[in-house]
Amino acid sequence: MKENTPNDETSLFTKKVSRRNMLKTAGVGGVGVVIGASGFGGLLNLSDSKANGQTNDVVPFYGANQAGITTEAQDNLYFAALEVTTDNKSDLIQLFKDWTEAAAQMTAGKLVGEASLNTSMPPKDTGEAKELSPSNLTITFGVGPTLFTKNGKDRFGLKSKKPAELKDLPKFPLDALEDSWSGGDICIQACADDLQVAFHAVRNLVRIGRGKTIIHWAQTGFQRTKQADSQKTTPRNLFGFKDGTANPDKKNSSEMNEHVWVKAGDGPDWLVGGSYMVVRRIQMYIEVWDRTILKEQENTFGRHRDSGAPLGMKNEFDKVDLEAKDKNGNRIIPEDSHMSLSRGDGKAKILRRPYSYADGMDPKTGSLNAGLLFICYQRNPSKQFVPIQERLAKNDKLNEYIIHRGSAVFACLPGVKKGGYIGESLFR
Amino acid sequence: MKKTKASLAVLLSTSLLFGCSQEKEEVKPADKNAKETSASASALDDVSSEYREYAIGEIEEFVKATEEFTTAVTSGDIEKAKEVYAPARMHYERAEPIAEVFGDLDPKIDARKGDVKDEEWGGYHRIEMGLWEENTTKGYEEYANQLMSDVNLLRAKVETVEVTPDLLITGAVDLLNEVSTSKVTGEEDRYSHTDLYDFVANVEGAEKIYELLTPALKEKDEKLVTEIQQRFDDVYSLLEKHKEGNGYTSYTDLKESEVKELSQAIDALAEPLSQIGIVTEES
Ligand code: HEM
C-alpha cells in the first residue's frame, strides 16, 4: 500500500495536500518539478497498483456481485459482526458510502483517505498495511435481520423491504448458542492472503463507523497459506481432513446462479445479485478427536483422511456412491457420516467458505480453544442450509466432536458499480 | 496518574527546581513539523491562555479540597475523609493535562499501588487504601501531611506552565484515553470504587478544551462540531443513569454490559475529538 508521506518539506507543511491533489498536479508536470527532489518520488507510483511487482493479487472490488463469495478463498479471514447504534437513516447511508470508498481503496492496495501533512491530527489510515501488497483482499458487506427490525421496532423504515428469508435460523438440536457470538446488524467479511491486511481493512472500517456502529463480535480465521501448499490442494481443517472437496464449482456461473446468487423473483428486488450468508461458530473438541482411532475418524466424515477420497475409493475427486456396499452387504460410507447426511439427495447445495480459528486456551477446561468459523452462501437458507443442518444436528457422527456456539444470518448486498455505493438498492 | 509522559516532565520540573523559575516552562511539541500556522496562531494563543486560567482555577479548588481531606485524615474523622475523597480528586482529574506535566509530583499525588515502589508509595490512593480497606485513618497522618505539601507545591509550580496549542490538542484526547485505560476498567479507585467520579471529571476536562476551541473549529468544520457535541451528549446521558444523590454509583455496581457501553461511548467521542488538530491548518 502506498501513499505520499509527510516529510521535511516544511514549506508544504501548512498546506493541505491530498493525495488526489498531488496526483492531479503531478500529472500536469510542471508542479512536479517545483516539488523537485523533495521525496515525493513515491508519488509517481500512486496510480500504479502494480508498482511493487504484484501484478496479480488484486481482486476487483466493483462488479455485479460483491467479491469474497465466489472468490477463491484467501489464506486469512477477519470477520466482524456490528451493531448499529445510530438511529438516523441518513447517517447509516453516509456510512455505507464512506465504507464503499474506503473498501475500494483498500482492495486496490491503497491507503484509506487522503494523506494529510498535518501532524496535529491522527493519520487517516492506521498504517499497518503500508508497503504491503493488496494480497487479494476482498471486503464483503451483509445486513442482518436486526437492521430492519429490532424488538419489534422498524428502525430505519426498512421493514417493508425485509426479505422473508432474512430471519434467525430455527433452533437445531444440540445448539449451544451464545448471544456474544450470535447475530449482528451488519457483517464485514475481510479475506486476504495476509492477516495484517485483513485486520487493517476491518479496523479502518470499524474506525470509520465509530459512533454509528459498535463491534458485536469478531473472529479471525485461517487456512494453510498458499506458500505452504504450492500445489494448492484442498485445504485441511483442524481435524486433519480435506474440507471443500464437494463444493459446487465457483468458476461455473450457471452453478453459482443456481445455488448462490439471489435471482429476480426470489424475494425483494434490492437483493438480486446478492447472497445469503450463514455463519456458525463451531467449537471443535481437539483433544477428544486426537484420541479417536483412525477408522472412526474416517467413518465420521465418510472419507479417507489422507487422500480425501470417499471411503472405499482411491482419489479425492472419485465419484461418491453413498449406496455402495461391502461384501457383507453393509454400507461402505456410514449413513450417519457427515458426508452422507450433508449430501442427502444431493439437490440442496451450499457454497462453503469456512475458516479455522484458534483462540488460545479455554480458561475453563484448559483445552485448546479452536474450531471452524463455518461460512456458507446460498440463494435461500430455508431450502439450503436449514434442511442440511437439520439432518446433521439429528444424526451426524461428527456431533460427538463439535458444538455450535454462535450463529448469524446476513443478506450480502449486491455488487456495486463505480460511483455507486454498497447497499444503494436497499436504501434507495 | 500518567506514566508515559513522566520522563519529559521530570526533566522540565528538575530544571525548574534548579533555579530557572523566572523562565516559563514550555511544553514543546516533540515533532519539529508540528508547528501551528500563523493565521490561526493568535486565536489559538488566546484559547491557550484561557485554558491556563481554567486549569489553575481547578488546581486552586483542588488545594482547598485536599485541605479538607487531609484535615479529616489527621483529625481522625474517617467519615468526612471518605465523603470528600472522590469530589476532591475531580478537580485534579479535570486539570490533568496540566497537572501531569509535573512528572515528579503526579506520582506522589496520584500513584496507584504498584505504580511506584511500595516504600515510596503515598498520596491519595495510599490513604484511600487505609480508609476503605483498613477502615482507619490511624497511621495515615504522615501521608496526609505529605500529600498536602505536595499539592501546595503543585499549586506553586503550575503558575510556571505555559500552555501551548499542542498541549491542548493532545490533552483533550489524552483525558479520554485516561478514561479508556484506567477509569473504565475500575483500576483507578480500586478500594473506594469511586472511579466514575474520575471518569466524569476527565470527560469534563476534555469538554472544556473542546468548548474553548469550538469557535475555531466551527470555522474549519461545522459538521465536526455537531458530531463532537452529539457524542458528548451521548456520554453524559449514559453517565446520568449512574448518578446517585450528589455523586455516582460505586464502580462495583456497574454491570459488565454497562461498562462496555460506557467504554464504547468514550471511543465514539474520542474518535471525532482526535480531529481537533484541524484548527492548526490554514484555511
Ligand atoms: C466443525 C464443523 C464441520 C467440519 C469439521 C466439517 C467438515 C467437512 C468435511 C471434512 C467434509 C468432506 C469434504 C468436503 O466435501 O468438503 C464436509 C463436507 C460437507 N459439509 Fe461439513 N463440516 C462441518 C460442518 C458443516 C456444517 C454445519 C454444514 C452445513 C449445515 C456442513 C455441510 C457440508 C456439506 C454440504 C458437505 C459436502 C457433502 C457432499 O456433498 O459430499 N458441514 N464437511
Side-chain angles (χ1 to χ4, degrees):
Chain A
M1 306 213 173
K2 294 162 285 294
E3 62 154 4
N4 46 324
T5 27
N7 59 37
D8 288 337
E9 199 67 26
T10 35
S11 62
L12 274 170
F13 168 69
T14 55
K15 299 219 178 66
K16 221 169 114 186
V17 183
S18 71
R19 179 158 70 177
R20 214 171 280 150
N21 286 339
M22 292 299 288
L23 269 175
K24 255 190 261 160
T25 50
V28 177
V31 187
V33 180
V34 177
I35 296 169
S38 64
F40 281 111
L43 173 67
L44 299 172
N45 295 332
L46 278 176
S47 56
D48 182 9
S49 55
K50 298 164 186 165
N52 58 358
Q54 300 280 0
T55 46
N56 45 14
D57 70 348
V58 177
V59 180
F61 174 75
Y62 296 105
N65 311 117
Q66 283 196 85
I69 298 173
T70 56
T71 307
E72 200 55 48
Q74 300 92 325
D75 298 346
N76 296 96
L77 162 83
Y78 198 95
F79 190 98
L82 309 179
E83 274 173 51
V84 176
T85 51
T86 180
D87 41 25
N88 184 325
K89 186 173 178 184
S90 60
D91 275 359
L92 186 65
I93 292 173
Q94 188 58 47
L95 179 60
F96 273 95
K97 288 181 178 167
D98 295 344
W99 274 347
T100 303
E101 191 180 333
Q105 283 178 307
M106 289 190 286
T107 50
K110 297 181 185 152
L111 299 178
V112 172
E114 299 167 351
S116 159
L117 299 185
N118 185 346
T119 54
S120 293
M121 281 161 68
K124 282 257 163 55
D125 186 284
T126 58
E128 73 273 32
K130 203 164 152 36
E131 293 105 19
L132 303 184
S133 86
S135 306
N136 286 318
L137 172 68
T138 57
I139 303 172
T140 315
F141 297 92
V143 294
T146 46
L147 186 75
F148 296 79
T149 50
K150 205 168 197 166
N151 304 323
K153 210 179 129 209
D154 182 2
R155 301 174 73 189
F156 300 101
L158 295 173
K159 190 177 171 191
S160 61
K161 294 191 163 180
K162 185 176 175 179
E165 277 299 309
L166 188 62
K167 55 177 187 225
D168 281 346
L169 297 171
K171 192 182 167 350
F172 300 103
L174 306 180
D175 271 1
L177 304 183
E178 294 163 10
D179 285 343
S180 50
W181 287 109
S182 298
D185 300 336
I186 291 176
C187 78
I188 303 175
Q189 173 196 268
C191 298
D193 289 330
D194 183 280
L195 183 54
Q196 190 148 317
V197 168
F199 177 80
H200 171 263
V202 172
R203 179 212 192 152
N204 279 274
L205 296 172
V206 167
R207 180 185 182 195
I208 290 169
R210 211 157 276 156
K212 300 177 190 122
T213 58
I214 52 177
I215 304 181
H216 180 47
W217 59 272
Q219 179 70 62
T220 54
F222 62 91
Q223 312 184 335
R224 91 287 183 262
T225 63
K226 291 182 187 73
Q227 286 126 278
D229 180 9
S230 54
Q231 306 293 308
K232 296 194 184 161
T233 56
T234 311
R236 291 179 187 272
N237 60 37
L238 298 182
F239 283 166
F241 279 67
K242 288 173 178 286
D243 197 332
T245 309
N247 239 352
D249 183 2
K250 298 191 220 21
K251 297 206 174 69
N252 181 331
S253 59
S254 67
E255 244 185 282
M256 292 301 101
N257 284 334
E258 187 182 340
H259 301 298
V260 176
W261 303 122
V262 172
K263 279 222 237 340
D266 284 356
D269 283 343
W270 65 261
L271 192 56
V272 173
S275 184
Y276 291 96
M277 173 206 277
V278 172
V279 194
R280 305 284 285 187
R281 187 173 186 270
I282 308 173
Q283 186 185 339
M284 292 161 59
Y285 296 124
I286 300 288
E287 289 80 358
V288 178
W289 182 259
D290 291 348
R291 51 185 181 251
T292 302
I293 61 170
L294 179 61
K295 199 176 2 172
E296 193 58 21
Q297 291 191 357
E298 295 191 327
N299 281 336
T300 300
F301 284 112
R303 286 183 177 269
H304 290 296
R305 188 178 87 148
D306 288 356
S307 62
L311 289 183
M313 308 297 278
K314 271 229 150 57
N315 299 311
E316 181 184 359
F317 295 101
D318 284 350
K319 200 169 170 329
V320 175
D321 179 5
L322 295 178
E323 313 285 328
K325 308 260 166 42
D326 63 15
K327 52 183 187 301
N328 301 324
N330 296 320
R331 278 195 186 219
I332 296 176
I333 300 173
E335 274 177 287
D336 57 358
S337 69
H338 184 68
M339 181 167 66
S340 291
L341 290 167
S342 57
R343 178 166 292 217
D345 63 7
K347 284 202 189 102
K349 287 192 175 166
I350 50 179
L351 179 64
R352 287 171 290 142
R353 214 172 178 283
Y355 283 88
S356 299
Y357 70 83
D359 285 356
M361 186 191 78
D362 181 339
K364 268 193 228 132
T365 60
S367 46
L368 287 167
N369 187 4
L372 194 71
L373 193 70
F374 179 89
I375 300 176
C376 68
Y377 290 96
Q378 58 234 282
R379 256 173 84 187
N380 184 317
S382 54
K383 289 190 187 144
Q384 294 171 272
F385 177 85
V386 173
I388 299 173
Q389 179 55 22
E390 259 163 4
R391 296 196 297 268
L392 292 177
K394 250 187 250 156
N395 290 317
D396 194 358
K397 260 173 118 50
L398 186 58
N399 292 339
E400 267 182 64
Y401 309 100
I402 62 170
I403 183 160
H404 289 236
R405 297 284 191 199
S407 177
V409 184
F410 297 99
C412 289
L413 297 153
V416 62
K417 282 204 284 282
K418 252 194 190 132
Y421 66 95
I422 295 278
E424 198 169 356
S425 57
L426 169 61
F427 296 117
R428 202 166 35 206
Chain B
M1 195 201 78
K2 181 87 176 183
K3 291 174 207 153
T4 47
K5 286 204 174 147
S7 57
L8 164 80
V10 166
L11 211 107
L12 287 171
S13 47
T14 41
S15 74
L16 176 88
L17 290 178
F18 285 89
C20 314
S21 49
Q22 74 279 27
E23 272 171 25
K24 290 204 165 183
E25 287 200 26
E26 205 176 349
V27 181
K28 289 209 176 72
D31 188 330
K32 69 182 157 101
N33 279 340
K35 45 170 121 159
E36 77 280 8
T37 57
S38 52
S40 44
S42 69
L44 286 184
D45 286 345
D46 290 350
V47 167
S48 301
S49 64
E50 269 183 77
Y51 181 70
R52 187 168 174 275
E53 261 166 57
Y54 162 80
I56 292 181
E58 284 299 326
I59 298 289
E60 266 165 9
E61 289 303 310
F62 182 54
V63 173
K64 284 187 211 150
T66 302
E67 231 157 51
E68 214 181 340
F69 176 65
T70 53
T71 310
V73 173
T74 47
S75 64
D77 189 347
I78 185 163
E79 284 319 307
K80 179 79 186 168
K82 282 184 174 182
E83 189 189 310
V84 296
Y85 169 84
R89 296 179 43 76
M90 288 181 87
H91 299 293
Y92 188 77
E93 296 287 340
R94 281 191 201 103
E96 195 135 10
I98 295 274
E100 75 189 14
V101 164
F102 303 99
D104 56 339
L105 284 177
D106 185 36
K108 284 187 172 167
I109 296 168
D110 199 28
R112 298 169 305 186
K113 188 173 167 58
D115 286 346
V116 295
K117 289 197 198 111
D118 271 359
E119 58 275 21
E120 287 166 18
W121 184 40
Y124 263 97
H125 294 299
R126 176 97 211 206
I127 303 171
E128 177 200 5
M129 185 179 81
L131 294 175
W132 274 274
E133 283 277 289
E134 299 163 10
N135 212 20
T136 185
T137 56
K138 274 220 181 61
Y140 287 88
E141 296 83 356
E142 253 328 287
Y143 292 115
N145 291 331
Q146 183 62 44
L147 174 61
M148 194 63 241
S149 80
D150 289 334
V151 170
N152 280 325
L153 188 56
L154 173 69
R155 172 66 190 87
K157 280 185 170 190
V158 125
E159 278 307 323
T160 65
V161 173
E162 191 186 320
V163 177
T164 62
D166 237 46
L167 181 118
L168 278 186
I169 287 163
T170 53
V173 171
D174 271 356
L175 279 160
L176 298 186
N177 294 348
E178 285 280 304
V179 176
S180 298
T181 56
S182 61
K183 275 71 178 196
V184 88
T185 56
E187 288 166 292
E188 180 73 22
D189 301 293
R190 57 187 76 160
Y191 311 110
S192 61
H193 307 302
T194 53
D195 305 80
L196 279 185
Y197 290 77
D198 299 55
F199 186 124
V200 171
N202 283 161
V203 174
E204 287 170 350
E207 190 184 27
K208 184 69 196 182
I209 295 175
Y210 155 72
E211 277 171 7
L212 291 173
L213 288 174
T214 300
L217 267 179
K218 267 205 173 124
E219 275 174 36
K220 303 281 178 198
D221 190 348
E222 282 252 24
K223 256 180 70 193
L224 182 63
V225 174
T226 330
E227 194 179 356
I228 296 174
Q229 189 56 56
Q230 178 61 48
R231 305 281 168 81
F232 268 115
D233 294 348
D234 291 347
V235 170
Y236 283 124
S237 68
L238 279 183
L239 286 167
E240 193 66 29
K241 291 200 260 177
H242 305 299
K243 271 204 171 131
E244 205 179 80
N246 290 330
Y248 291 88
T249 7
S250 164
Y251 182 84
T252 47
D253 289 344
L254 295 180
K255 291 195 221 103
E256 261 179 47
S257 59
E258 289 170 332
V259 170
K260 186 166 143 204
E261 198 175 49
L262 284 166
S263 166
Q264 286 172 322
I266 290 293
D267 285 345
L269 164 61
E271 187 63 38
L273 196 65
S274 72
Q275 305 298 313
I276 59 177
I278 197 171
V279 296
T280 63
E281 281 176 15
E282 254 176 19
S283 15

